[in-house]
Amino acid sequence: MNIKKSILGIVVLLSITMAAKSQVKIGFEVSFKEPQAHYAEVEMNISGIATKTHVDVKMPVWTPGSYLVREFAKSVESFGATSNGKAVKVEKVNKNTWRVFNAKTNAVKINYRVYAFEISVRTAFIDASHAFLSPASIFMYPAGMIKTPSTVKIVPFTGWDKVSTGLEPIAGQKFTYTASDFDILFDSPMEVGTQDIFEFNAAGVRHEVAMYGGGNYDKERLKVDMAKIVEQETAIFGENPNKHYTFIVHNYAQGGGGLEHLNSTVLGASRNAYSSERGYQGFLGLVAHEYFHLWNVKRLRPIALGPFDYDNENYTTNLWIAEGFTSYYPIKVMLRAGFTNPEGFVNSNLGTIGTVMNTPGSKINSAAESSFNAWINPAYRPSENGNNTFISYYTKGQVIGNLMDLEIINATKGAKSLDDVMKAMYLQCKTLKRGYTDAEFKAMVEKISGISFTSFWDKYVTGTVPVEYAKYFAYAGIDVVNENEGKSVPFFGASTGRMAGVSGGKVIIGSVSRSSGAWNGGVNVNDEIVSIDDVPAEASIERMAVITNKKVGDVVKVSIIRDGLKKDLNVILTTNEIVRFKAALNESATPQQLVVRKKWMGI
């Protein structure tokens, strides 16, 4: 065999293949013929197709940042295609793939409609007032061409005059944008309508804020305060990787939540909450959380989260870092930016520790397991038994971040903190052009701290050991006690909801806590509680006198109705093990503890 000729042949073949791919052009046009009925009309043009038989186009089944298979293809209808002006055969080959037979031509035009009527930061929503396009639920991609560039032209409905997005605009073409590949396109939401837009500059970056839905926000105040958050977070990593950034804010009567993107975010807010201190602080905290994702997740990311598989779940055991640390850092940033005080900072962190310790699922579900099982977690698929089987990687990860921060600061006598780990891992991902493994993250923590974190990992990352809160807060000269420790308070162990409208309302069981009296006594979710020891039931069962006047170990008779049949159950009251923390600054704190405290709080 002539090796030189073989190598030359491979090079020529690769060159031809790359040239064929480079000739492919993909363009979208999105219009709104019936926005009041919640539809987007999508036209997709593909030219330069190498194969002359067919091309497969696919709709993602999920959107990055929201770990649930949402089956976006379910909202697609009227799919059809033409080539050279003539209709061509199309065939659906699986749940999210359409095959277009291109009749030996190299170009096809595809048209389809998308129904968009789910209000959230991660799903498309269209009505007569605006269109929010969550790209993974709007745009299809040709199979095998994720890395192909595309253009998007938006044709706003009558009366709409603005488009807000992180995509790069094409000069001279109104409302037309370009994406270097489909990962970028799917990571660039679009707000189309008459949104109120204002801008501010921070960390050398232009920021656009697009407000939909009105509200009592103060633009000038937001410009100043949002800039403070941007500056504080940029300082942690040493650089801001964007030239421009877009906040899309949806203001509803009751709104919340956020979803991060590469150079933008979508936030849900309550339109009339900005005037209250609590509401305003809540919004700034949400800004801090989603903006921190600009680094943590979007660039400093677990290795499994990119390149993405848009057909299937993408599993990682590291969402406790990706989301949990991003829940921890806003508390630090809000303190450093002057929006809260040290007392609020301490109590916020302790509150999250309490949430973890008071969740029965924390005793059987580790942070790593919770991350891996994100795709079936009760946060996205509510379950009446979720608290007994699952702990949120947000809350457990926030606690781990807190403990790890204090451990690093204490070990280095205030020279280093978790900030140094985050910056170093960000630069490592940037240099290697890939995400990190769990082992690499642990190795960096140990390098920065100078101590082993194997025991820490075994306890808190892969294990379910109760949080040693007193030990870690003592590093910073903060005394923490559980006010319920040692108390013998009777506990029924079931929470209730009230079904209004039937004889003044029925007391219905909503959840039962693992190993409680209700659990052991056979009380079920959806049981109607008629009475306890012949006393008519109240919505707050734990506060009923018939419970509070008993002792641990006492038996109460619980009369229920289940499936239309009355039953009597005997419930033995257990001990209430709910923790309730109280913290105090140690007036006799050592110099080392004061150093740790100052470094931890950053003020």
Side-chain angles (χ1 to χ4, degrees), residues 142-275:
M145 299 187 195
I146 282 289
K147 292 304 178 183
T148 306
S150 64
T151 61
V152 177
K153 179 181 180 180
I154 303 295
V155 182
F157 186 64
T158 304
W160 298 353
D161 59 358
K162 298 185 182 78
V163 176
S164 298
T165 180
L167 285 174
E168 295 298 327
I170 297 177
Q173 299 183 46
K174 192 173 184 180
F175 300 143
T176 306
Y177 307 87
T178 181
S180 57
D181 56 43
F182 278 89
D183 285 323
I184 296 296
L185 178 58
F186 292 147
D187 207 20
S188 303
M190 305 173 195
E191 176 66 25
V192 187
T194 60
Q195 59 269 26
D196 181 22
I197 295 175
F198 62 91
E199 296 183 354
F200 66 90
N201 288 297
V205 177
R206 178 178 61 84
H207 294 76
E208 175 183 311
V209 183
M211 289 283 197
Y212 163 77
N216 58 6
Y217 53 87
D218 180 335
K219 285 188 278 191
E220 297 308 313
R221 185 183 181 192
L222 282 174
K223 289 178 186 179
V224 173
D225 291 344
M226 292 173 75
K228 290 179 181 178
I229 290 169
V230 171
E231 296 284 1
Q232 287 291 340
E233 294 189 347
T234 301
I236 294 169
F237 295 94
E239 66 179 32
N240 195 306
N242 286 321
K243 293 181 179 179
H244 59 86
Y245 190 93
T246 302
F247 292 93
I248 297 173
V249 185
H250 292 152
N251 293 299
Y252 291 103
Q254 295 291 328
L259 188 64
E260 69 278 2
H261 298 280
L262 195 66
N263 68 341
S264 63
T265 186
V266 185
L267 309 177
S270 300
R271 67 171 61 94
N272 293 318
Y274 295 94
S275 59

Side-chain angles (χ1 to χ4, degrees), residues 12 19 26 42 48 88 103 146 156 211 240 333 340 351 354 384 391 408 411 485 511 555 558 569 580 585:
V12 171
I26 302 171
V42 183
V88 296
I146 282 289
M211 289 283 197
N240 195 306
V333 169
T340 187
E384 72 282 350
I391 186 64
I408 295 170
E485 188 171 0
S511 65
V555 179
V558 182
L569 304 173
R580 182 182 177 185
L585 297 181

